[in-house]
Amino acid sequence: MASANGTSTIELERAGSNPGALIDPFGRAITYLRVSVTDRCDFRCVYCMSEHMAFLPKADLLSLEELDRLCSAFIARGVTKLRLTGGEPLVRRGIMTLVRSLSRHLASGALKELALTTNGSQLQRYAAELKAAGVERVNVSLDTLDADKFRAITRWGELKNVLAGIDAAQAAGLRVKINAVALKGVNEDEISGLLEWAHGRGMDLTVIEVMPLGDIDESRLDQYLPLSIIRARLAEQYTLEDIDYRTGGPARYVRVKETGGRLGFITPLTHNFCESCNRVRVTCTGTLYMCLGQNDAADLRTPLRASESDDRLHATIDEAIMRKPKGHDFVIDRRHQNSTLPRHMSTTGG
Ligand code: SAM
């Protein structure tokens, strides 16, 4: 059951029973942490990065031990869902050491879910290990099933590796959800094909509006396609039934009667979903962003490194959560073409 702000009653009860629970000024319990474990990626998706990205010096990154300590501090404060992302999380050296270490919180029951968002390129190698470490679900980003288009969108990616990765994930028993960014004139004619393919394999599909995050080599206006248009087109072909299903993330789901599968919409531009926001994000350098669409941030690396005790870290987290804004205000239109946030999605973690 969901409360007015979308946080489940169980989550709020659990948060209420934890004296150190993270509750923001709008009464939203922070129960979901997304951690970007690296800013590096083996793809260069045109809407995400420019082709020649400058990546952070390795020395700036939190070590795997520091990432573990940071995640554990949030879990102690009531975070029950943790998603590792990036960059590409599976290109971070030693990533499985971190995953295996974090899985102790699944075993203790403090963490309900440890999930991953990946481009799928390395899944063939890691799927079985992820499952063995307690990961149950992976989100795989895939915008097209056309190999040439895939190469054009990702610049460096090979579709066949991602499809093999998805096969491996399903064979290992992981639940796979496909995330596709809707791109004007690129994959807008393919959404029903993606939907039939995903649902045919027992996978949910979520479509996402492109967000104005970071400078890229082309105009956002050329890429942006409101999902209201996609939804209206799909509704001509399928019966879309609104359902209550929620994963703790921002997607709103419908059931597609003809396929029996679920279709999610993430619409940060056409429908702001902030009232139910239960999330914060930490970058691979330990910067805490209280909102994907705002610049305010808190440095957690300094208190983390200042002392072996977590006291200063917790005090910094508390202070930051009190500054969590009510919401974001992404805009993509002709007047706001230059009002992009300076960070790329690969920095904050998508
Ligand atoms: N490398 C992993 C992956 O591909 O899923 C995780 C990081 S990636 C930044 C996470 C998600 O953000 C992907 O689904 C990607 O398509 C999406 N993304 C990146 N830039 C975006 C943008 N500007 N607007 C909307 N989605 C974006």
Side-chain angles (χ1 to χ4, degrees):
M1 160 125 181
S3 71
N5 73 17
T7 307
S8 79
T9 317
I10 295 166
E11 277 176 312
L12 273 177
E13 273 169 12
R14 197 173 175 279
S17 63
N18 176 352
L22 299 171
I23 311 282
D24 80 0
F26 305 96
R28 298 170 297 191
I30 308 307
T31 54
Y32 185 1
L33 176 68
R34 302 174 69 115
V35 182
S36 175
V37 296
T38 174
D39 62 332
R40 285 161 202 260
C41 189
D42 51 346
F43 290 1
R44 290 288 178 281
C45 296
V46 289
Y47 52 82
C48 184
M49 295 186 180
S50 69
E51 186 154 18
H52 304 286
M53 289 284 290
F55 291 111
L56 296 162
K58 289 218 170 89
D60 285 1
L61 302 194
L62 296 185
S63 67
L64 295 173
E65 292 74 19
E66 288 171 329
L67 282 168
D68 185 303
R69 196 175 141 204
L70 200 54
C71 293
S72 302
F74 275 95
I75 293 166
R77 305 296 302 277
V79 160
T80 56
K81 178 168 175 178
L82 182 62
R83 177 173 297 279
L84 303 182
T85 176
E88 171 49 43
L90 295 180
V91 302
R92 171 85 196 238
R93 188 171 300 169
I95 184 67
M96 284 312 304
T97 307
L98 177 65
V99 174
R100 278 192 288 270
S101 168
L102 289 171
S103 70
R104 71 187 184 280
H105 298 297
L106 290 170
S108 77
L111 194 60
K112 299 277 172 268
E113 185 172 6
L114 176 57
L116 194 85
T117 297
T118 173
N119 64 25
S121 69
Q122 313 295 316
L123 261 184
Q124 234 187 322
R125 176 170 168 204
Y126 287 117
E129 280 183 80
L130 287 166
K131 174 71 182 168
V135 173
E136 297 290 342
R137 295 199 307 151
V138 291
N139 288 355
V140 179
S141 305
L142 179 61
D143 305 326
T144 177
L145 291 169
D146 175 308
D148 293 332
K149 236 188 250 183
F150 186 83
R151 163 63 64 133
I153 294 172
T154 62
R155 291 193 181 106
W156 297 0
E158 284 292 344
L159 177 64
K160 65 176 185 340
N161 294 344
V162 174
L163 295 181
I166 292 171
D167 288 343
Q170 290 197 301
L174 292 167
R175 272 166 43 220
V176 179
K177 177 164 83 74
I178 303 296
N179 284 340
V181 176
L183 298 164
K184 187 158 79 182
V186 178
N187 64 356
E188 57 181 298
D189 56 339
E190 265 199 81
I191 306 296
S192 59
L194 272 165
L195 183 149
E196 300 267 352
W197 170 79
H199 288 182
R201 299 184 48 137
M203 305 184 293
D204 292 346
L205 171 71
T206 294
V207 265
I208 306 172
E209 279 173 349
V210 80
M211 292 171 242
L213 291 172
D215 279 334
I216 50 168
D217 300 330
E218 44 190 278
S219 157
R220 295 277 176 202
L221 202 56
D222 293 343
Q223 301 176 331
Y224 173 54
L225 179 66
L227 291 194
S228 47
I229 295 181
I230 298 272
R231 186 175 173 141
R233 284 186 198 153
L234 289 173
E236 288 172 10
Q237 217 180 325
Y238 302 99
T239 316
L240 307 180
E241 302 169 332
D242 283 319
I243 50 174
D244 261 352
Y245 177 74
R246 299 289 286 272
T247 61
R252 298 291 175 274
Y253 284 87
V254 296
R255 174 148 337 260
V256 180
K257 195 171 172 198
E258 290 75 6
T259 62
R262 280 186 294 244
L263 171 66
F265 296 95
I266 299 186
T267 54
L269 285 97
T270 51
H271 285 108
N272 180 308
F273 41 64
C274 305
E275 72 286 350
S276 60
C277 186
N278 55 353
R279 295 173 288 289
V280 290
R281 294 172 155 85
V282 177
T283 70
C284 54
T285 55
T287 303
L288 171 67
Y289 283 98
M290 290 74 86
C291 171
L292 177 63
Q294 303 276 2
N295 275 325
D296 191 22
D299 166 29
L300 301 185
R301 189 176 57 184
T302 303
L304 191 73
R305 289 184 175 169
S307 138
E308 281 181 14
S309 140
D310 285 342
D311 293 354
R312 276 185 63 182
L313 176 63
H314 282 299
T316 312
I317 293 173
D318 279 329
E319 199 261 330
I321 296 300
M322 289 320 287
R323 303 203 310 268
K324 184 169 165 65
K326 195 165 183 196
H328 64 248
D329 30 40
F330 288 130
V331 198
I332 297 181
D333 65 20
R334 273 180 213 294
R335 277 189 311 127
H336 296 88
Q337 283 200 67
N338 296 323
S339 58
T340 294
L341 278 185
R343 315 189 298 280
H344 291 89
M345 188 74 124
S346 54
T347 308
T348 331

